[in-house]
Amino acid sequence: MKKNKWSNVVGFLLLAISISIVFPSCNSQDKKNLPDPCVVLYDICTEDYKVHRGELESGQTLGAVLYLNHIDHGRIDQIVRASKGIFDFRKAKAGKKFTVLCSNDSIEKAQYFIYEMSSIDYVVFDIRDTIDVFLGQKEVLVKTREASGQIESSLWNSLVENKMSPALVMELSSIYAWTIDFFRIQKGDYFKVVYEEKYVEGEYIGIGRVYAALFNHANEDFYAFYFEEEENYGDYFDDEGAALRKAFLRAPLNYSRISSSFSKRRKHPVTGRIKAHLGTDYAAPTGTPILSTANGTVTEARYKRNNGNYVKVRHNSTYSTQYLHMSKIKSGIRPGVYVKQGEVIGYVGSTGLATGPHVCYRFWKNGRQVDPYKQKLPPSKPVKKENLEAYTMLKDSMMNVIQSIPSNF
């Protein structure tokens, strides 16, 4: 057994008893040695500076902010040049926060300028003498959370009603994308989940890793456990060690609803004719990204009268898929291009014979259109034999955590 596999298990066992973890920032100093009056911002002692905070306004540049803080144009040009390869001034966005540490005198000339690229990442411009530009990160507090909920109308509403982050909708639908058709979930389905929440300076900034989940759909339990078979790379496996990842995604959109299923006989909503509907329609807002459900090579990407803008992908000698009525095909998607599973190939629209924005998803097996949800699709590889003992320890530990999560339904 490789050492990193046991480290993986130990880490998850610690997670199972809900230990919060703090990741240190990149440029941390020994703050214990700083004088008591010193307030530290971005790893800089601010007791000798005046602190000014703000947000970049629409149309405002970082150069304009520096100029307002008594940095002349020549010096600004030097700062821009010194930033090359570290930060591009042109990528500064309105609404982003910045901090200026100014000299503690009547002039209040900028000595440090800090621009926050995100809630975690920032760039520091030390412009006191020689110019120094470096990146930093704020401390991130990661808390392990446990949650549960029952479906009354939709997964989204269930999470919101239980005061959980809506981002969990996307994460759970991604984890179970090959296993559960989230467009067919029903009232009474329920879930339990163990996941991370991230905080910076006491402010919630989003979810992190989902470590374990149970989704009960149609009275059947579907487990998911995160496990790293290789260092810094992991995937989700079920309670028997089989991979949740399959050859095909269950749907070409992350989250939407089925508006019309595969049928051998249906009245067409535009022409009124009775004919087979050899595809599955997913209604979604115009512009919603459409994903290739498996790896493959694009064979068609064009406009056709009935299909509208569409893309067809050949996955192997057996399977092909087609995506109709796009508002537009993604730039670069053309015949001969190789696409990966989950890659955006176009955007939802209503071109061709369509009454509203949706994607018609069609599935071919051996040259014949079939219902993808009735196919026994090829599975992916399970946990490797040499890692099975480590995985079993992890699974058993997290299974205990999942089963101990109280449910309010």
Side-chain angles (χ1 to χ4, degrees):
M1 185 66 61
K2 294 185 180 179
K3 182 178 179 181
N4 70 309
K5 303 300 183 302
W6 289 107
S7 299
N8 183 301
V9 175
V10 171
F12 279 105
L13 289 175
L14 290 174
L15 174 68
I17 58 175
S18 300
I19 292 180
S20 295
I21 306 167
V22 177
F23 294 106
S25 57
C26 292
N27 298 291
S28 58
Q29 300 174 359
D30 186 359
K31 297 176 184 178
K32 294 180 181 179
N33 296 327
L34 294 172
D36 290 339
C38 183
V39 175
V40 176
L41 295 174
Y42 309 101
D43 293 321
I44 303 168
C45 177
T46 62
E47 67 176 337
D48 294 328
Y49 305 103
K50 291 184 178 179
V51 180
H52 299 293
R53 298 178 181 269
E55 290 186 2
L56 206 61
E57 298 176 1
S58 179
Q60 189 178 36
T61 65
L62 297 188
V65 176
L66 288 168
Y67 187 76
L68 290 173
N69 287 275
H70 309 292
I71 303 299
D72 61 39
H73 293 298
R75 186 67 167 168
I76 292 171
D77 183 62
Q78 292 175 353
I79 295 169
V80 173
R81 292 175 182 273
S83 305
K84 189 174 182 180
I86 302 173
F87 177 76
D88 188 343
F89 265 57
R90 295 170 298 181
K91 292 186 178 180
K93 297 180 180 179
K96 295 292 185 180
K97 297 177 181 179
F98 65 81
T99 300
V100 187
L101 304 184
C102 299
S103 57
N104 196 7
D105 54 27
S106 58
I107 299 176
E108 297 190 17
K109 182 178 180 179
Q111 304 296 300
Y112 287 93
F113 178 70
I114 302 94
Y115 172 75
E116 296 189 7
M117 297 177 287
S118 69
S119 54
I120 299 173
D121 302 296
Y122 59 86
V123 57
V124 177
F125 302 89
D126 180 350
I127 51 180
R128 292 172 295 175
D129 297 308
T130 56
I131 300 170
D132 186 18
V133 182
F134 57 91
L135 301 175
Q137 288 186 321
K138 295 181 180 180
E139 288 184 342
V140 179
L141 178 66
V142 180
K143 298 181 180 180
T144 303
R145 297 297 191 196
E146 300 170 358
S148 65
Q150 186 174 41
I151 307 301
E152 294 297 332
S153 56
S154 71
L155 178 58
W156 180 280
N157 289 339
S158 179
L159 289 168
V160 171
E161 288 166 2
N162 286 277
K163 298 181 180 179
M164 287 176 275
S165 169
L168 268 177
V169 172
M170 303 307 297
E171 199 63 30
L172 288 173
S173 63
S174 176
I175 291 169
Y176 286 109
W178 300 268
T179 311
I180 298 174
D181 184 356
F182 275 81
F183 310 105
R184 298 174 188 259
I185 58 176
Q186 55 198 34
K187 185 176 180 179
D189 289 354
Y190 64 87
F191 63 89
K192 295 183 178 182
V193 60
V194 180
Y195 67 104
E196 294 176 336
E197 285 185 344
K198 295 182 178 181
Y199 296 83
V200 170
E201 298 175 345
E203 181 181 349
Y204 170 77
I205 62 168
I207 68 168
R209 176 78 63 199
V210 170
Y211 285 107
L214 161 64
F215 204 102
N216 181 280
H217 172 58
N219 295 318
E220 184 177 355
D221 288 339
F222 296 89
Y223 285 95
F225 302 101
Y226 180 77
F227 180 67
E228 291 186 357
E229 291 213 87
E230 300 176 17
E231 192 171 0
N232 299 322
Y233 177 78
D235 212 335
Y236 290 92
F237 300 86
D238 67 15
D239 51 321
E240 295 183 353
L244 267 67
R245 187 183 300 273
K246 300 294 190 297
F248 287 85
L249 295 175
R250 293 284 289 175
L253 303 174
N254 273 331
Y255 199 72
S256 183
R257 66 180 176 86
I258 291 178
S259 54
S260 180
S261 300
F262 184 97
S263 173
K264 292 183 178 180
R265 187 174 175 82
R266 183 194 73 158
K267 183 178 180 180
H268 196 281
V270 176
T271 65
R273 294 173 57 193
I274 302 296
K275 60 179 295 188
H277 181 240
L278 303 180
T280 304
D281 290 347
Y282 292 91
T286 298
T288 301
I290 297 171
L291 315 177
S292 174
T293 55
N295 296 347
T297 302
V298 175
T299 57
E300 297 179 58
R302 61 194 180 98
Y303 178 87
K304 204 171 182 179
R305 183 178 177 182
N306 291 347
N307 295 348
N309 294 315
Y310 75 96
V311 172
K312 190 171 183 178
V313 180
R314 181 178 184 272
H315 304 290
N316 52 35
S317 59
T318 302
Y319 298 105
S320 294
T321 55
Q322 190 179 29
Y323 314 79
L324 280 60
H325 309 304
M326 296 177 172
S327 58
K328 65 177 180 178
I329 298 168
K330 184 185 176 185
S331 176
I333 299 299
R334 59 185 181 277
V337 170
Y338 183 81
V339 292
K340 295 182 178 180
Q341 185 179 66
E343 183 175 342
V344 176
I345 56 175
Y347 304 90
V348 169
S350 52
T351 57
L353 282 180
T355 56
H358 72 284
V359 57
C360 177
Y361 175 55
R362 297 188 175 183
F363 195 94
W364 272 264
K365 181 178 181 180
N366 295 321
R368 185 172 65 90
Q369 288 190 58
V370 296
D371 185 347
Y373 302 107
K374 294 182 179 178
Q375 306 307 306
K376 188 175 180 180
L377 299 173
S380 55
K381 296 180 180 178
V383 174
K384 296 175 183 177
K385 288 184 178 179
E386 61 266 29
N387 298 329
L388 198 54
E389 184 179 354
Y391 177 74
T392 300
M393 290 179 64
L394 163 69
K395 178 204 70 176
D396 290 346
S397 173
M398 296 307 298
M399 182 82 81
N400 288 334
V401 178
I402 285 287
Q403 292 176 348
S404 68
I405 296 175
S407 56
N408 55 1
F409 44 85

